[in-house]
Amino acid sequence: MIDIKLIREQREYVKKEMEKLFVSVPIDEIFELDESKRKLLYDSECLRNTRKTLSKEIASEKDAEIISAKKEEVKKTNEIIKIQEEELNAIEERLNSLMLNVPNLPGPDVPVGKDETGNTAVSYFNEKKKFDFEPKTHYEIGEKRDLIDFERGVKISGTRFYILKKGLAKLQRSLINFMLDIHTNFHDYEEIYPPFMVNEGCLVGTGQLPKFSDNLYKDLESGMWFVPTAEVPVTNMYRDEVFAIDRLPVKHAAYTACFRKERLSAGKDTKGIKRGHQFDKVELVKITTPETAKEELSSLIADAQDILNRLDIPHRLVRICTGDLSFTASEKFDIEVFAPGINEWLEVSSCSNFGSFQARRANIKFKRDKNSKAEFVSTLNGSGLALPRVMISIIENYQTEDGYIKIPDALKPYFATEEFI
RNA sequence: GGAGAGAUGGCCGAGCGGUUUAAGGCGGCGGUCUUGAAAACCGUUGAUGCUUAAAACAUCCGGGGGUUCGAAUCCCUCUCUCUCCGCCA
């Protein structure tokens, strides 16, 4: 949520910023609702004050006639208060629901662009592999070598589910361990194993709800939601909490399965393991002061890239423009790996600075010192990394001509004596 | 799943219809004393909204609703926690 004061005090500026996102946001309606809310609030406070005063007078009054006269007066006041409060509640409800659907403001350095064509490739890392044969796709190799079972995945669960087998199942497991080990041993993240199901407030807190319920799984009986990313449980750990400044930055690395309906992507990326309803991910989450958020974003990106460097996977860093920013992000960089088989750049990480957007929704604050006022923290996160697409890039980059997969050196400690899968 | 108990400011804890504008303690902060520290003593110390700021005012005793002139206090309901029993990887 953005600060309503910005709309109150700098309405035209907010409108201009929203234009950069190429979305329409009812800023004027919000402004007017806020105005009427404050007016009503003031009126109703005055009436409450009257009631309070009268009630106290009744308590100390002896004369029965005066008492009943004052009681009448309070009753009348209450009737007005009731009407006003109903109106106030309706306005607040409307205002709140509009505010929850207002996207974050783009950061000052974010390039303006309408959609992903406005993104800029910031830089490239690690050489593309050279093949003296035509590299196969991961799904060809997976099926041919009986390492991925797409048919039975669909049989037991449905479309967009697959089964990893043998060496590939182990490769994924070793990658999860490898990523967590690197982040906790070398990048100073604290490991978290969170629940994979959360209550509704968490999804509102990190911004998936109310706008994106279409993409989420929910258990109707309990009202619990399946996490679409570890960002949700890990950030919400600190809902309604106030940090002492010396506890910041908080740096967490968490593995979870992630569950997404992918309805908006129906028909897209249906081949292979690129986009499933369930996938594994190691997520990096940071909670910082506003002034350090920017440099913490840079180091978070570097931490995610370090995984790819250690695996020697060609990748590039893409700066996301205003029109392609996610709803909650003020600034975002994607890391994309190259997969020579399907010949695509694949997003394996989205690293975002949310500023105070999530903190305001989830009510996460910090104090600069004991006596100062609590301020909203900045939250950041990025994948470190998403497993299926790293798997694709390893399968396709490390393939041999006869369909085997060479195990990257960095992962050798997680295997026995094997050299190939 | 069954039975019972409970949820009050950073923490502990009193309050059970009207000087609660929430007692008292701990912790925090400031001061006195001291060479310094501790102890002791004195003072101070919640959040949110409105406000340029402060003051004032209002709201907040787990959430929501109700009774009443008046609710932390009574009633209903939901959520969560604890204890005992049952079931269980």
Side-chain angles (χ1 to χ4, degrees):
Chain A
M1 203 141 54
I2 66 168
D3 190 348
I4 184 99
K5 279 184 186 157
L6 276 176
I7 295 178
R8 203 178 288 160
E9 289 157 14
Q10 303 177 57
R11 183 157 44 136
E12 292 311 313
Y13 162 78
V14 174
K15 277 192 200 168
K16 261 193 194 147
E17 291 300 300
M18 291 297 162
E19 276 169 25
K20 289 185 188 170
L21 302 177
F22 298 90
V23 291
S24 81
V25 183
I27 298 296
D28 288 326
E29 186 181 354
I30 290 173
F31 178 82
E32 266 141 42
L33 283 170
D34 181 53
E35 290 285 294
S36 16
K37 177 192 134 179
R38 281 153 67 209
K39 191 183 170 299
L40 271 172
L41 199 61
Y42 178 77
D43 291 349
S44 121
E45 279 182 7
C46 292
L47 288 172
R48 278 166 187 276
N49 194 6
T50 310
R51 175 174 71 185
K52 206 171 182 178
T53 314
L54 285 168
S55 292
K56 274 188 187 162
E57 286 168 12
I58 292 170
S60 54
E61 183 59 59
K62 293 279 176 343
D63 189 318
E65 248 175 66
I66 296 177
I67 287 178
S68 73
K70 290 199 168 173
K71 280 188 184 180
E72 255 333 285
E73 206 176 327
V74 177
K75 271 190 177 170
K76 274 182 196 153
T77 312
N78 273 339
E79 276 166 32
I80 305 170
I81 290 177
K82 199 175 176 193
I83 292 164
Q84 275 194 350
E85 291 212 322
E86 273 164 17
E87 199 181 339
L88 187 63
N89 285 342
I91 287 174
E92 278 186 330
E93 204 175 301
R94 173 87 183 133
L95 180 62
N96 194 36
S97 96
L98 287 177
M99 280 302 284
L100 283 174
N101 283 294
V102 175
N104 203 353
L105 295 162
D109 309 328
V110 179
V112 178
K114 200 165 79 204
D115 51 34
E116 69 273 5
T117 57
N119 295 341
T120 48
V122 175
S123 41
Y124 289 79
F125 303 85
N126 303 333
E127 296 262 317
K128 282 192 187 177
K129 301 266 194 291
K130 292 196 171 66
F131 294 90
D132 44 18
F133 57 92
E134 186 66 26
K136 295 191 199 54
T137 65
H138 66 284
Y139 46 88
E140 284 174 292
I141 296 170
E143 284 193 304
K144 192 175 158 201
R145 298 274 326 285
D146 191 30
L147 295 170
I148 310 175
D149 190 337
F150 291 104
E151 264 181 48
R152 289 200 181 93
V154 172
K155 179 166 82 178
I156 62 173
S157 300
T159 177
R160 285 192 194 279
F161 285 94
Y162 54 84
I163 296 162
L164 295 179
K165 297 176 73 175
K166 302 186 280 189
L168 268 198
K170 186 169 180 176
L171 176 67
Q172 173 155 293
R173 179 160 54 86
S174 70
L175 277 166
I176 293 165
N177 281 325
F178 170 69
M179 291 174 187
L180 285 171
D181 286 344
I182 298 299
H183 293 313
T184 56
N185 295 336
F186 298 102
H187 303 152
D188 200 29
Y189 289 78
E190 193 173 273
E191 185 168 345
I192 299 289
Y193 172 78
F196 291 11
M197 299 181 79
V198 294
N199 60 38
E200 189 158 309
C202 291
L203 278 312
V204 176
T206 32
Q208 286 77 15
L209 288 180
K211 216 171 154 69
F212 305 103
S213 60
D214 271 4
N215 203 29
L216 303 170
Y217 287 100
K218 180 188 189 180
D219 173 53
L220 287 173
E221 194 191 347
S222 66
M224 303 262 279
W225 299 73
F226 288 64
V227 299
T229 156
E231 159 193 355
V232 176
V234 175
T235 308
N236 279 284
M237 280 167 64
Y238 302 108
R239 200 144 42 114
D240 297 316
E241 294 193 19
V242 180
F243 286 96
I245 194 165
D246 57 11
R247 285 191 56 208
L248 302 178
V250 169
K251 294 171 68 176
H252 287 319
Y255 156 77
T256 66
C258 303
F259 304 93
R260 299 181 185 179
K261 284 189 176 169
E262 301 291 1
R263 281 203 182 134
L264 299 167
S265 313
K268 203 172 153 193
D269 306 327
T270 48
K271 270 230 175 261
I273 62 170
K274 183 173 160 187
R275 190 186 293 271
H277 289 310
Q278 171 190 320
F279 66 96
D280 281 7
K281 183 157 62 64
V282 169
E283 183 76 3
L284 303 175
V285 174
K286 286 188 182 182
I287 295 174
T288 73
T289 58
E291 60 274 16
T292 55
K294 220 171 162 59
E295 62 188 83
E296 292 290 350
L297 179 63
S298 303
S299 64
L300 188 147
I301 293 166
D303 294 336
Q305 281 186 282
D306 187 35
I307 299 294
L308 296 172
N309 290 334
R310 286 168 189 261
L311 293 169
D312 190 29
I313 291 174
H315 64 278
R316 66 181 184 187
L317 187 60
V318 179
R319 167 150 222 159
I320 303 302
C321 72
T322 51
D324 200 28
L325 278 179
S326 53
F327 176 73
T328 47
S330 73
E331 187 173 20
K332 181 165 115 160
F333 292 85
D334 281 359
I335 301 170
E336 299 181 345
V337 296
F338 185 68
I342 55 176
N343 192 31
E344 279 181 53
W345 290 94
L346 300 174
E347 180 189 324
V348 290
S349 181
S350 231
C351 301
S352 307
N353 177 6
F354 305 98
S356 58
F357 190 84
Q358 292 182 325
R360 193 170 281 108
R361 288 172 165 246
N363 190 29
I364 307 172
K365 295 183 169 179
F366 77 101
K367 279 189 175 182
R368 293 189 186 275
D369 61 67
K370 280 240 150 51
N371 298 316
S372 61
K373 212 174 139 118
E375 302 167 49
F376 288 114
V377 297
S378 286
T379 59
L380 304 106
N381 67 52
S383 327
L385 306 153
L387 270 299
R389 293 172 186 183
V390 174
M391 295 274 286
I392 292 174
S393 74
I394 289 177
I395 296 166
E396 296 188 1
N397 278 298
Y398 281 86
Q399 64 180 296
T400 63
E401 189 162 11
D402 48 2
Y404 282 78
I405 303 150
K406 189 172 178 295
I407 296 169
D409 288 341
L411 297 179
K412 290 268 170 70
Y414 299 90
F415 288 81
T417 55
E418 308 100 293
E419 295 277 324
F420 295 90
I421 292 167

